[in-house]
Amino acid sequence: MEKSIDPIPIDLAESDGERVQDSHPVKASTKKSSKKISNLTNLTKPGSHFKRQRRLTSEVWVNYEFLDEPDENGNLLCKCKKCGTTYNADSKNGTGNLKRHIQNCKRRNYLDVGQMIIDSSASGSLQNRLPSINADIFRELVASAIVRHDLPFQFAEYDGIRKCFSYLHPDVKVVSRNTLKADILKMYRREKSNLREYMTAISSRISLTSDCWSSITTDGYISLTAHFIDDHWTLQKRILNFRFLPPPHSGVHMSDEVCSMLKEWGIQKKIMSITLDNASSNDVFADVIKSELDLICGGNYFHVRCCAHILNLVVQDGLKEIDDAVIKVRESVKYCKGSQARRQRFLTSVAHVELDNARGLRQDVPTRWNSTYLMLESVLYYKKAFIHFQKSDANYIHCPTTDEWVRIEKIFRFLKVFYDVTKVFSGTLYHTANMYFPNVLKVRLLLKEEMGSTDKFMNKMANKMYEKFSKYWANFSTIMAVAVVLDPRFKFQFVEWAYKRVYGEFEYESELSKFKDKFNALYDAYYHEFAIVPSTSHSHTSNNKSGQHGVVDVDPVCDEFMTVNFLYCSILLFYFNFSNLQLQ
């Protein structure tokens, strides 16, 4: 016998033999007969029919729960267990929208046990209910991770990694290390082809940097990096090659290797310059490869020496004879770091003078001159702590005297100029060509000033450094001076002012005239390579004198209206930066 709800009159549907539903679930005599009952709010009108709810067989209901209250139309509602979004749960609407929500739900971005149900098979294994994954995308991601994080190919065969992948999705097919190696090589060939097409399509010329290394096993390697400005005027850098370089490591052999690399990339006719260190073989290399390339201005600006490397050589020459005060500083750092007890006593002195102990002391190494600068910087910060440490530790005998502290500060200020210039030259996220001229000028004027110093040590060190400086930078690089002219902060007036400071009132005009000729020749070369013939409707006559090919001679000083005020401020600012060099 079926139970009816009293006192509401209802009609039984005899044709389909279905039972009447209650407003709450009805407990049957057996567990198999228990079912979820829909809401009856809208069915309490006379003449309404009650139907038994069918068994919920769809897998989608695991992720939803039913609401007690219906919507305004009396439809049954359900909500997502993760994000709480509500949907119409009537059977006539189907479950398609519910399945689509599971795939796009923002709160279901990970796989947990709640998203898995026990399979009805005899094995009783956990069956994943999420959509299947794309095997190709998965392999691509694993290969990219190995390249990005420098992992071994055997990473994909680790038992723990395989278990993790299987837990996330049972359909994951983890490949072997050989398959992974093939995937990475395939990815490399694809990316190389894309980069080659991109490099050949850019309109600007390309500057190169190259260097050689020897591994622990004495194997030689050579690298080649391209630097260029893309069509959106953004600085770009791409490592083109890093390959084994068999002996001999001569200039001729290196030129053959680099030339084959450039032809492989198809950019042998788009090269502007190459920056190398000061090894003697690089001079031969640059001279030999010129004939293989299509260079601008006959290759006069092709070989550029590494500025940071030259600065390193200059400072290394000056630091060959270290002052006694610097030796005391080095021994002081060694003493404080010699044992845990000494380190603790020094930290006590640091706390006594109320200094920050987090900065720490730095020990210099013979092969890196900037480590000497950093050592002096750290010791000067803890100057008061060293003086107090001398009073508390009778065995500490290397503390500098008052006069030696003054000398240390002077050496530190001297090296700071080279350290700051080296950091500017070593930048990778900004252009550095326009930084060369003002910074080299700063170093040159600093050395000139210290060569006239009454301090014998500083005078001797400056003379040695200027000798090495003159070997490489006796004459300013023309192409770097051009970069300063194109910099709106300096322009041509700064070059003229700098030449006057370096060459004097009588010689600077001849040197400046030579620079103008080279500047105009470079402009003519670029004009003929990139010039676009204007239409007759937009053509205009000019009263300026033309050169051999109808090219208007460039006078960078003529743009005074746009630049004179800004240039005055820039030069004045640069002047104050050199105030410690007595440029008045």
Side-chain angles (χ1 to χ4, degrees):
M1 295 292 294
E2 296 290 337
K3 292 182 180 181
S4 62
I5 299 177
D6 229 13
I8 303 174
I10 57 174
D11 295 329
L12 295 177
E14 298 178 356
S15 58
D16 52 8
E18 296 190 352
R19 299 181 180 179
V20 180
Q21 293 179 330
D22 198 352
S23 58
H24 299 283
V26 179
K27 294 184 179 179
S29 58
T30 61
K31 294 183 179 180
K32 292 183 180 180
S33 62
S34 62
K35 299 179 177 61
K36 188 169 184 66
I37 309 301
S38 61
N39 195 285
L40 297 176
T41 304
N42 197 39
L43 299 178
T44 57
K45 298 179 181 180
S48 299
H49 298 279
F50 284 84
K51 292 185 179 181
R52 183 183 61 185
Q53 186 181 27
R54 292 180 299 175
R55 181 187 296 274
L56 302 178
T57 59
S58 177
E59 301 170 354
V60 74
W61 298 113
V62 178
N63 304 285
Y64 293 89
E65 61 181 8
F66 292 95
L67 300 180
D68 295 333
E69 298 294 332
D71 63 3
E72 58 185 5
N73 297 323
N75 297 321
L76 182 65
L77 297 178
C78 65
K79 71 174 183 178
C80 177
K81 292 181 179 180
K82 292 293 183 181
C83 66
T85 306
T86 59
Y87 288 94
N88 192 329
D90 282 348
S91 60
K92 61 182 179 181
N93 295 323
T95 59
N97 58 336
L98 304 180
K99 292 180 179 179
R100 286 190 292 271
H101 173 75
I102 294 175
Q103 298 175 1
N104 302 323
C105 183
K106 296 180 180 179
R107 300 293 297 275
R108 299 176 59 83
N109 54 357
Y110 59 90
L111 182 64
D112 57 14
V113 178
Q115 294 171 268
M116 309 175 74
I117 62 174
I118 301 296
D119 191 9
S120 58
S121 61
S123 61
S125 61
L126 291 177
Q127 179 66 36
N128 184 12
R129 297 300 181 182
L130 290 180
S132 60
I133 65 171
N134 189 316
D136 295 335
I137 295 179
F138 173 75
R139 288 172 56 175
E140 180 101 4
L141 292 174
V142 174
S144 300
I146 287 179
V147 173
R148 182 185 296 270
H149 302 293
D150 196 19
L151 299 172
F153 293 135
Q154 199 175 3
F155 170 80
E157 296 183 346
Y158 292 163
D159 185 60
I161 296 299
R162 288 178 177 268
K163 287 182 178 179
C164 288
F165 289 157
S166 298
Y167 168 74
L168 294 176
H169 204 292
D171 295 339
V172 170
K173 295 181 180 179
V174 184
V175 297
S176 65
R177 62 178 182 272
N178 293 326
T179 305
L180 198 58
K181 176 183 176 182
D183 289 345
I184 292 177
L185 290 176
K186 181 181 178 181
M187 182 191 305
Y188 165 75
R189 286 189 290 267
R190 184 186 69 240
E191 295 298 327
K192 182 178 180 180
S193 176
N194 295 338
L195 180 59
R196 189 180 189 279
E197 294 178 2
Y198 173 66
M199 299 263 309
T200 54
I202 61 175
S203 57
S204 66
R205 282 188 170 262
I206 300 171
S207 296
L208 305 173
T209 55
S210 181
D211 203 357
C212 296
W213 292 274
S214 293
S215 65
I216 300 178
T217 57
T218 68
D219 293 330
Y221 293 88
I222 186 172
S223 70
L224 186 66
T225 307
H227 309 262
F228 56 92
I229 305 294
D230 63 13
D231 294 336
H232 302 286
W233 291 91
T234 304
L235 179 64
Q236 299 288 347
K237 180 183 75 171
R238 298 291 187 273
I239 299 176
L240 301 182
N241 296 91
F242 186 89
R243 65 169 58 173
F244 173 70
L245 182 65
H249 298 165
S250 61
V252 177
H253 185 211
M254 289 169 57
S255 66
D256 293 339
E257 288 289 331
V258 173
C259 189
S260 64
M261 296 177 191
L262 297 178
K263 291 180 179 178
E264 181 181 358
W265 288 99
I267 57 174
Q268 67 273 16
K269 294 184 178 181
K270 306 183 70 172
I271 302 302
M272 175 63 192
S273 65
I274 185 168
T275 302
L276 306 166
D277 61 18
N278 296 282
S280 57
S281 59
N282 286 334
D283 296 334
V284 179
F285 157 62
D287 292 336
V288 173
I289 200 174
K290 280 183 181 180
S291 58
E292 302 290 337
L293 305 175
D294 184 13
L295 300 174
I296 199 167
C297 292
N300 293 332
Y301 310 114
F302 175 66
H303 185 194
V304 179
R305 299 182 183 275
C306 178
C307 299
H309 189 257
I310 293 176
L311 277 179
N312 181 56
L313 296 177
V314 169
V315 181
Q316 288 283 10
D317 256 27
L319 293 179
K320 284 182 179 178
E321 294 186 11
I322 287 293
D323 187 71
D324 293 337
V326 179
I327 295 176
K328 280 191 174 183
V329 169
R330 182 180 294 127
E331 294 299 324
S332 297
V333 175
K334 287 182 180 179
Y335 181 83
C336 293
K337 289 189 171 185
S339 67
Q340 184 64 30
R342 295 175 190 171
R343 185 181 292 107
Q344 189 59 43
R345 288 199 297 270
F346 179 75
L347 292 177
T348 303
S349 299
V350 171
H352 180 79
V353 296
E354 298 180 348
L355 294 175
D356 184 13
N357 59 7
R359 297 184 61 170
L361 294 174
R362 293 174 179 261
Q363 180 70 55
D364 67 337
V365 292
T367 56
R368 295 174 62 90
W369 73 265
N370 58 335
S371 64
T372 303
Y373 165 80
L374 296 174
M375 179 185 69
L376 296 179
E377 182 184 37
S378 64
V379 169
L380 286 173
Y381 177 78
Y382 292 112
K383 176 182 175 181
K384 294 181 180 179
F386 277 107
I387 295 174
H388 182 271
F389 186 56
Q390 183 186 22
K391 299 176 182 178
S392 60
D393 191 341
N395 295 324
Y396 174 49
I397 59 175
H398 301 293
C399 185
T401 63
T402 304
D403 293 338
E404 288 173 337
W405 279 116
V406 174
R407 195 178 307 158
I408 290 169
E409 291 178 357
K410 191 172 184 179
I411 296 173
F412 169 75
R413 288 194 301 268
F414 179 74
L415 294 179
K416 187 177 188 304
V417 176
F418 293 89
Y419 182 78
D420 293 340
V421 173
T422 301
K423 286 182 64 178
V424 171
F425 286 165
S426 303
T428 57
L429 302 178
Y430 54 86
H431 311 85
T432 55
N434 58 326
M435 305 291 184
Y436 161 86
F437 196 88
N439 283 282
V440 170
L441 177 64
K442 182 192 296 186
V443 171
R444 182 168 185 158
L445 294 176
L446 174 67
L447 293 177
K448 279 289 188 179
E449 183 191 21
E450 293 299 335
M451 286 170 64
S453 174
T454 56
D455 190 321
K456 293 183 179 180
F457 171 75
M458 296 299 298
N459 183 287
K460 187 175 182 180
M461 182 169 64
N463 276 282
K464 281 191 172 184
M465 295 171 73
Y466 189 77
E467 182 180 352
K468 180 70 72 172
F469 179 91
S470 300
K471 178 181 178 181
Y472 297 106
W473 285 336
N475 298 316
F476 287 110
S477 171
T478 302
I479 193 66
M480 298 299 183
V482 170
V484 174
V485 173
L486 298 178
D487 190 332
R489 297 171 297 177
F490 302 111
K491 289 212 169 182
F492 187 79
Q493 286 90 336
F494 180 79
V495 177
E496 183 179 7
W497 176 82
Y499 271 50
K500 188 180 295 186
R501 297 294 305 173
V502 172
Y503 296 109
E505 292 288 342
F506 301 102
E507 297 182 10
Y508 92 93
E509 291 185 355
S510 61
E511 295 293 335
L512 198 62
S513 178
K514 295 177 183 177
F515 170 72
K516 285 183 179 180
D517 294 339
K518 293 179 180 179
F519 183 86
N520 289 333
L522 182 63
Y523 175 83
D524 290 346
Y526 267 93
Y527 179 86
H528 290 296
E529 183 172 354
F530 297 103
I532 300 177
V533 180
S535 60
T536 56
S537 60
H538 294 85
S539 62
H540 61 276
T541 58
S542 175
N543 295 326
N544 296 331
K545 296 180 180 179
S546 299
Q548 298 179 0
H549 308 287
V551 179
V552 179
D553 292 335
V554 179
D555 185 7
V557 193
C558 67
D559 196 16
E560 292 184 3
F561 178 76
M562 297 296 294
T563 60
V564 64
N565 293 327
F566 188 78
L567 283 171
Y568 176 77
C569 295
S570 299
I571 295 175
L572 189 62
L573 177 61
F574 192 81
Y575 176 85
F576 281 118
N577 287 337
F578 282 130
S579 59
N580 60 329
L581 303 181
Q582 299 179 359
L583 296 182
Q584 63 276 10

